[in-house]
Amino acid sequence: MSNLQIFELDPADGDLVSGAFEVLRASHAADAPEAPAPHKGKFALGLVNPPPGEDEATLIAVRDGVVVGIAEAGFPNRENLHFGWATIHVHPDHRRQGVGTELLDRFIEHARGKDRTTLTLDTRLTWEDGIERSKAGQLFAEKHGFQSALTWINRRCAVDALDAAAEQELLEKSQAAAGDAYEIVSWVGRTPEHLVDTMARLDSTILAEVPLGDLELGPETIDAELKNARADRNERMGVIPIQTIAVDKATGEAVANTAVFAYDDPEYTDAFQGITIVNPEHRGHRLGTLLKILNLRLVRENYPAVRTIWTDNADVNAPMIGINVVLGYEILDGGGEFQRKLDA
Ligand SMILES: CC(C)(COP(=O)(O)OP(=O)(O)OC[C@H]1O[C@@H](n2cnc3c(N)ncnc32)[C@H](O)[C@@H]1OP(=O)(O)O)[C@@H](O)C(=O)NCCC(=O)NCCS
């Protein structure tokens, strides 16, 4: 182990960037080949386009000139200043040699330097009769004093999971339930300028509304400036939001939203479900189902290469899971967020 070096990845060093990506590629192939493959272009672009509202650090472990592990870490810099997260991957050929532990130690050192006191690690898990996953991540996290704080379920849905007639029937039923109190608006790309403020208000409720288990995360205030900065980053990264919202005609406020994110890579067949949220005062009108079906149609029209949409939900989020099951989502596996408090 003596010649193992841990340092921050320099995005300008093409060989190391390729080496780090190779760890992610090999881990994906070994641990969860059914899940969407990591995308090299997005990985490289992410290194030079950090997300607004968060300081990021990509630590790599290098032995004899070969990248053998990577820890991608993030530290929110507007709110939740006590918090830090990391995702650690060790190349399958180099596991059980202490590489993961060295990366974790360096992450913890980084976090202490930023006065962070609550840290998380995440890993895939086996979920019920989904695909069986290695226990390595969980055992590694627990060995290092992290405890399970939130479990989620990963699901996937073919874009044509429902036959056309069944989809149309579901759409019409939800349209009838929603009535005419709402204006439905859809777009591909940036949020239209006149909707940015109301969408920022809706987005700000997300962390308070989404089940977070025992994760010690507080609400996040999203203003128009942050929203625009995130939209700029998506554009630079080639990540395209496809979004459908409901506006309450009585108040002009956005009260429900769903978003899917696609890559502007014609070869890439996966897309990712982002948050779906319905303001509590407007639940029970089938808005979640309505928006998701309309948005799915938009994905099919605009991204014909996309075959599968992926989503994850907290295991306790029954209403969202109920909608997803009706839409044809099936379980792939689970995931866990493990949390540890650092001594002051
Ligand atoms: C989890 C992972 C990062 C561990 O990396 P690693 O370099 O093999 O970890 P280490 O060698 O530092 O292991 C430290 C301890 O964790 C535990 N551990 C790690 N892998 C284990 C396994 N497969 N089975 C049982 N215990 C394991 C052991 O206690 C181990 O100590 P030991 O080898 O002395 O028994 C690696 O398996 C991996 O990349 N998995 C896929 C991605 C993932 O789930 N990452 C999330 C981590 S929370």
Side-chain angles (χ1 to χ4, degrees), residues 54-327:
E54 194 160 84
D55 296 338
E56 292 210 319
T58 303
L59 304 169
I60 53 170
V62 179
R63 191 195 282 143
D64 301 329
V66 176
V67 185
V68 293
I70 175 170
E72 297 172 280
F75 305 96
N77 62 22
R78 291 162 46 105
E79 285 153 307
N80 288 306
L81 299 176
H82 62 293
F83 198 77
W85 59 263
T87 298
I88 299 178
H89 285 97
V90 173
H91 191 289
D93 296 344
H94 299 271
R95 292 183 183 169
R96 294 311 281 276
Q97 298 166 22
V99 175
T101 300
E102 295 266 347
L103 282 165
L104 176 62
D105 287 349
R106 192 59 68 88
F107 162 58
I108 292 174
E109 203 180 294
H110 239 77
R112 284 193 198 281
K114 288 175 165 288
D115 294 326
R116 306 295 157 135
T117 52
T118 306
L119 304 187
T120 60
L121 296 175
D122 66 275
T123 186
R124 285 183 186 273
L125 304 170
T126 307
W127 182 264
E128 292 178 350
D129 52 0
I131 295 170
E132 185 156 350
R133 297 301 187 202
S134 161
K135 285 195 159 57
Q138 175 174 357
L139 293 169
F140 172 83
E142 288 172 351
K143 160 87 182 211
H144 290 290
F146 288 73
Q147 288 170 346
S148 171
L150 177 70
T151 303
W152 70 88
I153 310 166
N154 294 311
R155 287 184 169 81
R156 60 181 159 191
C157 187
V159 289
D160 52 2
L162 297 183
D163 69 52
E167 185 184 288
Q168 182 63 25
E169 194 188 330
L170 201 57
L171 176 66
E172 285 170 14
K173 272 192 188 155
S174 32
Q175 278 168 330
D180 60 3
Y182 304 100
E183 183 192 356
I184 308 297
V185 189
S186 291
W187 64 86
V188 175
R190 292 181 86 94
T191 303
E193 193 57 43
H194 69 286
L195 292 171
V196 168
D197 284 326
T198 183
M199 287 302 296
R201 284 191 285 276
L202 184 62
D203 286 354
S204 296
T205 65
I206 289 172
L207 274 191
E209 290 293 334
V210 169
L212 290 172
D214 296 326
L215 282 183
E216 296 194 4
L217 265 178
E220 192 186 15
T221 312
I222 297 168
D223 53 21
E225 190 188 348
L226 181 61
K227 249 191 111 50
N228 283 326
R230 286 183 175 164
D232 290 343
R233 177 179 191 251
N234 278 338
E235 280 178 357
R236 287 195 298 269
M237 300 269 303
V239 173
I240 294 115
I242 298 145
Q243 218 158 333
T244 299
I245 69 167
V247 176
D248 179 12
K249 286 183 188 165
T251 62
E253 284 288 316
V255 294
N257 167 39
T258 194
V260 167
F261 295 86
Y263 290 176
D264 68 349
D265 172 346
E267 309 271 292
Y268 203 74
T269 56
D270 297 303
F272 302 90
Q273 175 67 53
I275 193 76
T276 298
I277 190 160
V278 179
N279 176 312
E281 288 169 29
H282 296 270
R283 291 186 186 160
H285 302 290
R286 298 276 194 120
L287 286 175
T289 310
L290 174 61
L291 298 190
K292 280 194 117 171
I293 296 176
L294 292 172
N295 211 48
L296 173 64
R297 292 185 169 184
L298 210 57
V299 172
R300 285 199 301 251
E301 282 161 26
N302 288 276
Y303 290 88
V306 168
R307 304 308 313 150
T308 313
I309 299 180
W310 299 82
T311 192
D312 52 69
N313 304 107
D315 55 347
V316 292
N317 193 351
M320 191 69 256
I321 290 171
I323 293 176
N324 286 340
V325 169
V326 170
L327 292 176

Side-chain angles (χ1 to χ4, degrees), residues 36-52:
H39 188 288
K40 179 145 188 214
K42 296 288 170 279
F43 175 69
L45 283 168
L47 294 172
V48 290
N49 291 292

